[in-house]
Amino acid sequence: MSDDGSILKLLHDRDEQAVAAVSEKYGAYLMKIASNFLTDRSDREECVNDVYLRFWQEDAATPPEMLSVYLVSLTREICIDYYRKNHRKKRIPSEYTLSLSEISDLAADEDSQPEAQLERLWLTGVLNRYFRTRPKEVRTVFVMRYFYMDPVSEIAKKTGYSVSKINTMLSRERKRLKSCLGQEGIEG
Amino acid sequence: MKKDEFMDAMGGLDREFLKEAEHVRRKNGKGRKWIGFAGLAAAAVLLVAGSIFLIRRNIISGGSPVAETGSSIPEDTAGEKLTAETEQTETKTFSEQADQSEDPGVTASESESRAAESTEDTQQAEQTEAESGTPDRFGYVGLYDTGICYIRGTEPAFAEGISLRETMLYPAPCESIYEFGKIYPGRSMEIIRAVTVGTYDEHDSLTDSDWYLVSTGTTDEIGYVKKEDVANAAETFVEATEPWQLKAGAVYYTDRSCSAPHTAETVIGPLWGSVNPDMENQVWKLEGVSGIVVYIKDLDALEMFRNTWQPRNGRAG
């Protein structure tokens, strides 16, 4: 199996083997990530294929610093877009759906407006500043839940904490974050 | 801020944070698998050692070890024992699991995560159950603003507009809910949280509800809790005194209560929002909850529950 450096070299050389190598090394992992957002296997496959396409279209001159993180971020973004596009009306059970329900006290339900892009960038900045002040373990649990959409049980398994502790951590963190956002003038 | 905006903003998090999470997601998962294998190996060793011990004991008491070991425990009795043990495991309540979860040790968290995540385990458990003769009697009760409804499969009936008033409480075999994944009836609250019902619009209508039925993991009683109080911040429950404090193993009522089946083994979970057990204070934290799902394992209890429960708010008739 190729290492990341070799894969990026293939990409740089515009060798189509780069996609095959990514698929071989990260395909299953990306499908697992996608499964947290989408329940239908064919939907997941479509999204992961889009990830490969976007990867192939990536500017080889500025390769991602960490390939796995880059691919996961891409997968997340594509899956969320797909989810929104296809499941706007219907409530489909997935970890992403559950995550959305959990942040009800943090953010509102309504669809966002396109002109809010700048605000989102600003919001990302606020989030990054906030999480830099938080203990690493809390931050990691929050990221696992609301970035990767990992099930709580899986987070518990991987962190060694109990499910109840994870739930408590997340609950407290949401409250704390809400308070922080409120101070920044951001209301849910 | 909208939910979509929040999720999009999360997507732009500092890559360092993602690396940290990646590290945990990959590294610890592997480590724990090995612990799992070690546990299995240890269990196997214990099993062999136990067998040897039994055989040796029979040898000491005289006679053919193989024949006597085989005949010392009648097959039927052994079968009953197995069934009893299976049932005991099957009916482990959530609070018992929560008690275990106080210990962050490997066994407890392994047990919890195992209960919640492995569909293979679910299949195995169902198989074991079938083999052991335990009846396949599971039911999920969804509580709506107008009464009782049921959740079955990935497309709940009420999503199609069926009147909840007319909806019978329906025993849903676990297979039908299996598609939600992470289903392990009676063993984890996570299974309830995996249940999703209706559409966004229907969820919205939930927020206007007045009363909800609440039970806890170990109780044999079921009662009502007013929605506004359920939805209050967790601290409300921690600090509150009866009847609003929800303690594990107890249930509190508002002005009307019902006598629930004493055989019911129930687990609660939210339709929306989250319920977090606060083991330190032995209370359930209910946050943003607009509905409760009660899990009742016993079909007879389910029937009794259906017969005894009466909607609190006149709308259900």
Side-chain angles (χ1 to χ4, degrees), chain B residues 143-159:
Chain B
L143 298 174
Y144 231 52
D145 55 342
T146 51
I148 301 179
C149 58
Y150 66 89
I151 297 167
R152 181 168 179 270
T154 55
E155 296 294 332
F158 43 85

Side-chain angles (χ1 to χ4, degrees), chain B residues 58 67-74:
Chain B
N58 278 313
E68 290 215 354
T69 302
S71 60
S72 61
I73 303 175

Side-chain angles (χ1 to χ4, degrees), chain A residues 29 65 76 91 98 100 102 104 108-109 120 128 139 148 150 157-158 163 167 171 175 187, chain B residues 1 3 7-8 14 19-20 22 25 28 32 104 112 117 155 193 196 203 235 272 276 287:
Chain A
Y29 183 54
E65 185 187 345
R76 181 185 189 276
R91 183 166 167 75
L98 285 173
L100 285 177
E102 288 171 9
S104 287
D109 263 324
R120 288 183 199 179
N128 279 326
R139 181 169 64 217
Y148 291 91
D150 286 331
K157 183 181 171 187
K158 289 181 176 173
V163 169
N167 277 325
S171 171
K175 275 185 187 168
E187 299 297 335
Chain B
M1 175 182 61
K3 285 182 177 179
M7 284 302 181
D8 287 345
D14 193 322
K19 281 184 193 173
E20 290 170 357
E22 278 279 304
R25 295 178 90 249
N28 287 346
R32 294 180 66 78
E112 281 181 0
E117 76 168 0
E155 296 294 332
R193 296 190 63 212
T196 304
H203 269 289
E235 283 72 14
W272 193 255
N276 298 314
E287 298 174 277

Side-chain angles (χ1 to χ4, degrees), chain A residues 136-186:
Chain A
K136 183 178 172 182
E137 60 170 13
V138 174
R139 181 169 64 217
T140 297
V141 165
F142 200 89
V143 168
M144 288 173 81
R145 181 65 185 138
Y146 298 114
F147 181 88
Y148 291 91
M149 310 300 158
D150 286 331
V152 170
S153 58
E154 200 167 307
I155 299 172
K157 183 181 171 187
K158 289 181 176 173
T159 57
Y161 291 133
S162 66
V163 169
S164 58
K165 181 171 173 65
I166 297 295
N167 277 325
T168 303
M169 285 171 79
L170 288 171
S171 171
R172 287 179 181 159
E173 201 57 19
R174 286 197 301 269
K175 275 185 187 168
R176 186 186 286 268
L177 177 57
K178 184 179 182 183
S179 168
C180 167
L181 294 175
Q183 288 169 8
E184 295 278 349
I186 303 169

Side-chain angles (χ1 to χ4, degrees), chain B residues 23-68:
Chain B
H23 185 66
V24 173
R25 295 178 90 249
R26 288 168 176 255
K27 180 184 166 188
N28 287 346
K30 284 179 185 172
R32 294 180 66 78
K33 277 181 189 168
W34 283 109
I35 293 170
F37 289 135
L40 277 177
V45 169
L46 280 174
L47 190 65
V48 171
S51 303
I52 292 171
F53 172 75
L54 284 173
I55 291 170
R56 282 175 64 89
R57 205 170 62 164
N58 278 313
I59 290 172
I60 292 167
S61 63
S64 163
V66 175
E68 290 215 354

Side-chain angles (χ1 to χ4, degrees), chain B residues 85-257:
Chain B
E85 283 170 9
T86 307
E87 284 177 344
Q88 193 175 11
T89 310
E90 291 276 323
T91 59
K92 189 177 282 185
T93 61
F94 174 69
S95 66
E96 283 170 341
Q97 293 177 46
D99 285 342
Q100 286 179 354
S101 72
E102 278 187 300
D103 177 8
V106 171
T107 308
S109 49
E110 278 288 322
S111 169
E112 281 181 0
S113 57
R114 177 183 160 82
E117 76 168 0
S118 169
T119 51
E120 282 184 15
D121 283 358
T122 307
Q123 287 172 323
Q124 278 179 0
E126 287 166 11
Q127 191 178 356
T128 305
E129 188 177 76
E131 286 169 357
S132 66
T134 306
D136 181 17
R137 303 193 294 185
F138 296 101
Y140 281 82
V141 186
L143 298 174
Y144 231 52
D145 55 342
T146 51
I148 301 179
C149 58
Y150 66 89
I151 297 167
R152 181 168 179 270
T154 55
E155 296 294 332
F158 43 85
E160 298 166 10
I162 294 175
S163 165
L164 299 177
R165 191 183 309 177
E166 295 165 6
T167 305
M168 299 290 283
L169 205 60
Y170 191 91
C174 50
E175 290 88 348
S176 66
I177 313 174
Y178 175 75
E179 289 173 47
F180 284 112
K182 306 175 185 64
I183 298 298
Y184 217 62
R187 292 190 184 177
S188 168
M189 190 169 69
E190 292 301 306
I191 63 171
I192 306 295
R193 296 190 63 212
V195 173
T196 304
V197 294
T199 64
Y200 281 120
D201 291 340
E202 283 164 331
H203 269 289
D204 289 343
S205 72
L206 274 177
T207 58
D208 296 320
S209 305
D210 293 323
W211 299 87
Y212 292 92
L213 198 81
V214 171
S215 179
T216 62
T218 58
T219 187
D220 56 4
E221 297 176 308
I222 295 175
Y224 297 100
V225 168
K226 201 172 181 182
K227 179 238 169 186
E228 287 85 345
D229 294 284
V230 172
N232 276 343
E235 283 72 14
T236 305
F237 288 94
V238 175
E239 294 166 2
T241 54
E242 292 183 337
W244 299 113
Q245 187 173 26
L246 299 177
K247 286 187 177 177
V251 168
Y252 301 94
Y253 315 105
T254 56
D255 60 342
R256 182 172 177 171
S257 62

